[in-house]
Amino acid sequence: MCEYEKRNYEKVQDDAKRVVAEFLEQAKLKKGDLVVIGCSTSEIAEHHIGSYSNAALGEAVFTAMYGELQRAGLTVAAQCCEHLNRALIMTEADAERLGYEAVNVIPQPKAGGSFSTAAWKHMERPVAVEYVQAHAGIDIGDTLIGMHLRPVAVPVRIAHPVIGGAHIVCARTRAKYIGGERAHYNEALE
């Protein structure tokens, strides 16, 4: 890796850690909660999504975010690209604990994406699953993670919603409100 790539790698890692810190300040998550992350390294590198898969950027973002989220006691699922039907990579232990059935596929940079490939490389005993219902998520480069969030998603607005050229959208979920104007709600579930 040349000096220019090394500087960008370190900046991307720093930006990824910053995004996680801002996200965690607001997301109201508990230990063990599931966070889904979708990431387009093409968008980070200021290219059109799916056109510039970059293993070094995938490694930089995944290792930075995964480390921070693990330290917070959270469970992580890395979303693959549409070539793998947006399957997700997570540890076998987490998939079993949460009741998700493993499917047989291994992500590659051009079939799954560089981010999910990095997840497969760095997670202990990784597996792919077809879907999850996450408590929160971070979408880097408009990868459409919404299909993997629980039903009521609430935006989490971070101060600096970019990594490289990629736009970032964060969300958390909350319990559904039911009842009418006479209903009272548990603020701890909001």
Side-chain angles (χ1 to χ4, degrees):
M1 183 181 317
C2 72
E3 189 60 35
Y4 173 79
E5 286 176 325
K6 184 176 182 197
R7 276 194 317 269
N8 282 337
Y9 184 94
E10 290 169 359
K11 179 166 181 2
V12 164
Q13 279 199 310
D14 289 344
D15 287 348
K17 288 177 184 177
R18 175 194 40 77
V19 165
V20 170
E22 291 180 24
F23 171 71
L24 290 176
E25 284 177 22
Q26 301 178 57
K28 300 180 181 182
L29 298 172
K30 301 182 303 281
K31 290 199 182 303
D33 280 355
L34 178 59
V35 176
V36 63
I37 305 170
C39 176
S40 169
T41 59
S42 301
E43 291 283 329
I44 290 171
E46 300 181 353
H47 293 272
H48 181 65
I49 194 168
S51 67
Y52 189 78
S53 190
N54 184 302
L57 289 176
E59 292 265 335
V61 176
F62 179 79
T63 56
M65 289 187 150
Y66 190 58
E68 297 298 309
L69 292 167
Q70 277 193 307
R71 277 188 279 290
L74 299 168
T75 304
V76 175
Q79 179 181 272
C80 297
C81 71
E82 74 277 6
H83 296 104
L84 295 185
N85 295 330
R86 290 188 174 82
L88 303 113
I89 307 304
M90 61 192 323
T91 69
E92 181 180 52
D94 288 334
E96 288 176 1
R97 178 177 59 85
L98 296 170
Y100 297 122
E101 183 178 349
V103 295
N104 190 359
V105 70
I106 298 172
Q108 304 297 310
K110 300 260 184 210
S114 293
F115 183 78
S116 63
T117 301
W120 188 272
K121 177 180 174 182
H122 291 282
M123 286 182 168
E124 184 176 326
R125 296 184 56 175
V127 296
V129 299
E130 283 189 278
Y131 67 92
V132 297
Q133 289 287 285
H135 297 92
I138 301 171
D139 186 322
I140 305 164
D142 303 319
T143 62
L144 303 176
I145 64 165
M147 65 191 288
H148 296 301
L149 294 174
R150 293 178 354 176
V152 183
V154 178
V156 173
R157 308 254 189 240
I158 61 174
H160 302 93
V162 294
I163 296 176
H167 174 251
I168 298 173
V169 175
C170 300
R172 65 176 179 86
T173 61
R174 64 162 173 76
K176 294 178 185 180
Y177 292 153
I178 62 168
E181 62 185 40
R182 295 181 189 181
H184 294 269
Y185 300 106
N186 181 346
E187 290 181 19
L189 297 178
E190 290 185 6

